Amino acid sequence: MNELSDIEIRLLHEALDDEYRSWATYDQVIADFGEVRPFINIRGAESRHIEALCGLFARYGVSLPANPWVGKVERYASLQAACEAGVTGEIANGEMYERLMGQTQRADIVTVLRNLQQASQQRHLPAFQRCAQRGAGGVGAGGARRGRGGRGPGHRHAGG
C-alpha cells in the first residue's frame, strides 16, 4: 500500500495549497504593516507546516507544485482587519483538516494533518483572537492574521 490513491493525492495538494496561501497572506501582511506579531511568528510556523507536507510529497513521489499565491493574496486595509480575517481563516482551517483526515487511513499522513490542525487550533487561532481583541490600537507588537487556504513562499522549501 505504498501508492497513494487519487483522493490522497488531492488531499495532499489541498493541504499544501492552503498552507501556501496562508504563508503568502501573512507575508503580505508583514510587507504592508511591518514585522508585527503574531504574523511574523505564524509565518514561520507556516514554513514548517509546508516542510512537513513536502516530506509527504517526497515520501510518496508526488510532484511538488510551487506556491501560486505569492503576490496574489487579499490585502487588508488595517492590521485589525487582518487579525479578524486570521480568526476566520483558522476556524476554516481546523474544519478543512478534519475533513481531510477522514479521507485517508495512512498513519503518516493523518499524523501530519493532525499536527497541522492542532497548531492551527491551539496556537494560531488563539493568537489571532488576542490580536483581534486588542483592536487597532494595540496590535503593532502582537497583531495577527492568517488567510487560510495556502501558505508558503514561492517554492517548496519556504513553508511549513
Side-chain angles (χ1 to χ4, degrees):
M1 188 169 157
N2 289 332
E3 193 170 311
L4 295 180
S5 69
D6 288 343
I7 290 172
E8 290 168 324
I9 292 170
R10 281 194 302 273
L11 81 83
L12 288 179
H13 278 278
E14 182 177 350
L16 182 62
D17 188 67
D18 180 75
E19 298 295 332
Y20 274 165
R21 183 194 294 170
S22 294
W23 185 95
T25 298
Y26 305 147
D27 193 59
Q28 185 65 59
V29 169
I30 292 164
D32 291 342
F33 299 105
E35 295 283 320
V36 293
R37 291 182 311 159
F39 291 95
I40 56 172
N41 299 346
I42 296 176
R43 179 183 63 181
E46 298 300 344
S47 292
R48 292 184 297 277
H49 298 173
I50 291 168
E51 288 300 319
L53 288 166
C54 288
L56 292 172
F57 275 74
R59 179 175 302 142
Y60 290 103
V62 177
S63 178
L64 187 66
N67 186 345
W69 294 103
V70 176
K72 298 177 183 173
V73 294
E74 183 174 357
R75 295 178 76 177
Y76 299 95
S78 68
L79 194 51
Q80 176 68 28
C83 292
E84 291 169 1
V87 170
T88 301
E90 292 300 337
I91 291 168
N93 185 259
E95 294 167 354
M96 178 199 72
Y97 278 117
E98 192 66 35
R99 177 177 51 78
L100 294 179
M101 284 186 286
Q103 296 178 10
T104 185
Q105 294 185 6
R106 292 177 189 266
D108 58 343
I109 294 175
V110 171
T111 296
V112 169
L113 298 179
R114 182 172 290 118
N115 289 343
L116 298 180
Q117 182 189 46
Q118 288 174 346
S120 170
Q121 301 304 289
Q122 295 174 9
R123 292 190 291 281
H124 304 175
L125 178 57
F128 284 131
Q129 288 170 328
R130 287 189 301 272
C131 176
Q133 290 167 356
R134 276 193 294 273
V139 171
R145 185 253 182 235
R146 185 177 191 208
R148 273 320 250 205
R151 39 193 181 272
H155 62 283
R156 78 177 250 215
H157 284 221

